[in-house]
């Protein structure tokens, strides 16, 4: 855990009542409360009882992750015929979410704070977790509407480096946050990325079949643990290649709580969406100090496809950032209450 100061908690509130609480460690969202149609407030993300618990748990709940989201096979990059060795995950031979001391474990600098907006920045030095180049990342989080939160991510580097910085909340839109597999999910994607036993991409992009078909809204549990792909991950832990030609205003993903009272639409400029249903959440303490259930929340992570630094053949924009370029992406969370 990097940083010398205690966590600083920041609160944002829209006149509508929409409230977001976050901290500078990991730029982590601690709470996101949305007003329902009857005026009651509903918590929409998982979180811990104390900010320090959110720093030390290993599920990345609510944190910004980077410098490269998801897995990089064998913790190795290849650039101009040369291998670049990255810091490995603590228990696996690959790298996950930017390394064991990634952006989720760093204390970000608060640049500006208004009642509805906060801007934070982080300098990742050359060689950090094995990545080349000094990377400066700035994020701006805004309550951009009565039920809308917009996240703008900006990064520049001093050397060529793959960059994929994103947000990792676990959503549960129900009044009681238990098993989220009853949620209704839609993902605007025709293709997904099959994985091996280590949850690394096999290399081929596959057309969604019945098990991975979420182009039409349906309950997550309809095909739960069906097929070899899901058995390898203990459920859904797969990246979808979002349809770039989706109609104007269509979100990349949409999820509705099991009681139908709250829906979330996620729009993004990033090319892929990781669906992870929280199979490893069981036992982590929630805000009430009680253990979370397995699959208590759904992570929908806008990103580049995992291991894409080593797969330039995949049909998505280049994930390598050059010193004369700017990484600039947007994620929008748009809630609607019934």
């Amino acid at each position: 855990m990097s940083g010398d100061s205690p966590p600083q908690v920041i609160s944002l509130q829209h006149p509508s009542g929409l409230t977001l609480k976050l901290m500078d460690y990991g730029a982590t969202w601690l709470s996101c409360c949305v007003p329902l149609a009857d005026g009651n407030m509903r918590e929409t993300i998982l979180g811990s009882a104390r900010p320090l618990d959110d720093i030390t748990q290993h599920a990345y709940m609510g944190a910004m992750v980077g410098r490269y989201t998801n897995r990089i096979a064998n913790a190795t990059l290849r650039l101009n015929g040369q291998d670049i060795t990255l810091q490995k995950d603590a228990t696996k031979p690959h790298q996950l979410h930017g390394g064991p001391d990634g952006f989720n474990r760093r204390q970000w600098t608060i640049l500006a704070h208004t009642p509805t907006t906060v801007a934070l920045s982080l300098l990742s030095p050359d060689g950090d977790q094995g990545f080349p180049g000094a990377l400066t990342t700035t994020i701006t989080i805004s309550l951009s509407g009565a039920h809308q939160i917009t996240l703008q991510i900006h990064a520049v580097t001093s050397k060529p480096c793959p960059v994929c910085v994103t947000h990792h909340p676990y959503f549960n839109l129900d009044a009681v946050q238990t098993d989220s597999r009853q949620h209704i999910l839609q993902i605007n994607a025709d293709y997904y990325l099959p994985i091996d036993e280590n949850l690394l991409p096999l290399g081929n992009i596959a057309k969604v079949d019945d098990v991975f078909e979420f182009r039409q809204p349906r309950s997550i549990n309809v095909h739960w643990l069906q097929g070899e792909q899901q058995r390898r991950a203990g459920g859904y832990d797969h990246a979808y290649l979002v349809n770039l030609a989706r109609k104007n205003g269509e979100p990349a993903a949409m999820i509705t709580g099991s009681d139908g009272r709250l829906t979330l639409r996620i729009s993004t400029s990033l090319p892929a969406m990781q669906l992870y249903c929280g199979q490893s959440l069981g036992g982590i303490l929630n805000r009430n100090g009680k253990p979370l259930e397995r699959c208590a929340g759904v992570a929908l992570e806008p990103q580049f496809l995992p291991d894409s630094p080593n797969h330039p053949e995949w049909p998505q924009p280049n994930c390598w950032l050059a010193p004369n370029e700017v990484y600039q992406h947007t994620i929008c969370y748009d809630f609607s209450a019934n």
Side-chain angles (χ1 to χ4, degrees):
M1 184 173 65
S2 300
D4 300 320
S5 304
Q8 184 170 346
V9 177
I10 307 144
S11 293
L12 307 178
Q13 185 165 16
H14 191 274
S16 68
L18 174 65
T19 304
L20 180 66
K21 184 181 292 185
L22 63 150
M23 66 176 170
D24 53 358
Y25 268 91
T28 301
W29 293 19
L30 304 174
S31 171
C32 178
C33 290
V34 176
L36 298 178
D38 60 8
N40 289 318
M41 300 296 291
R42 180 168 290 188
E43 180 62 72
T44 62
I45 62 173
L46 302 184
S48 302
R50 302 174 303 166
L52 281 174
D53 294 336
D54 276 287
I55 297 170
T56 55
Q57 51 83 17
H58 298 288
Y60 306 91
M61 287 198 303
M64 294 298 297
V65 291
R67 115 176 24 180
Y68 200 88
T69 304
N70 218 309
R71 294 168 178 84
I72 295 179
N74 303 312
T76 302
L77 302 171
R78 192 159 184 82
L79 178 63
N80 299 326
Q82 299 294 319
D83 286 343
I84 300 171
T85 301
L86 305 178
Q87 186 73 35
K88 294 180 180 179
D89 185 65
T91 59
K92 302 288 184 181
H94 54 254
Q95 188 189 80
L96 176 63
H97 291 327
D101 191 23
F103 288 7
N104 61 299
R105 298 180 66 82
R106 305 296 175 86
Q107 189 167 29
W108 293 60
T109 299
I110 301 171
L111 300 177
H113 178 204
T114 73
T116 58
T117 302
V118 63
L120 305 99
S121 71
L122 180 69
L123 172 61
S124 174
D126 187 11
D128 186 9
Q129 306 298 286
F131 288 102
L135 186 79
T136 301
T137 304
T138 303
I139 60 170
T140 302
I141 304 167
S142 303
L143 307 188
S144 48
H147 292 82
Q148 187 178 79
I149 303 172
T150 299
L151 181 63
Q152 296 173 310
I153 310 168
H154 175 284
V156 292
T157 182
S158 63
K159 295 178 182 178
C161 179
V163 178
C164 181
V165 180
T166 198
H167 185 213
H168 199 298
Y170 289 88
F171 292 102
N172 189 311
L173 306 183
D174 289 339
V176 179
Q177 294 180 328
T178 54
D179 191 331
S180 63
R181 287 171 291 184
Q182 303 295 326
H183 282 47
I184 305 300
L185 176 64
Q186 182 177 17
I187 301 177
N188 197 333
D190 298 328
Y191 296 91
Y192 81 105
L193 197 57
I195 56 173
D196 65 15
E197 294 79 4
N198 295 309
L199 309 185
L200 295 168
L202 290 172
N204 60 305
I205 294 174
K207 186 83 171 179
V208 295
D209 56 17
D210 287 344
V211 173
F212 287 89
E213 169 65 84
F214 284 102
R215 287 174 294 186
Q216 297 299 318
R218 74 178 189 196
S219 177
I220 292 170
N221 70 353
V222 170
H223 291 297
W224 185 256
L225 283 182
Q226 292 186 14
E228 180 61 26
Q229 276 297 303
Q230 278 205 73
R231 283 192 288 272
R232 288 175 179 177
Y236 292 107
D237 193 359
H238 295 78
Y240 285 78
L241 187 63
V242 175
N243 290 335
L244 296 179
R246 58 189 185 274
K247 296 176 183 177
N248 186 36
E250 277 189 331
M254 181 173 70
I255 189 166
T256 301
S258 63
D259 64 4
R261 298 198 63 192
L262 197 59
T263 295
L264 169 62
R265 293 169 176 83
I266 303 176
S267 302
T268 183
S269 58
L270 286 156
M273 181 77 70
Q274 182 81 11
L275 168 63
Y276 173 53
C277 294
Q279 293 90 290
S280 299
L281 288 173
I284 296 175
L285 299 183
N286 66 13
R287 291 184 184 86
N288 299 318
K290 297 180 179 180
L292 286 169
E293 290 188 13
R294 181 173 175 267
C295 301
V298 179
L300 291 162
E301 310 156 46
Q303 58 183 255
F304 286 92
L305 292 170
D307 201 33
S308 55
N310 296 314
H311 290 276
E313 75 279 9
W314 286 344
Q316 62 176 357
N318 184 14
C319 67
W320 284 83
L321 185 67
N324 61 342
E325 297 173 337
V326 177
Y327 177 96
Q328 193 160 339
H329 286 286
T330 301
I331 304 170
C332 182
Y333 302 103
D334 193 357
F335 296 92
S336 57
N338 300 314

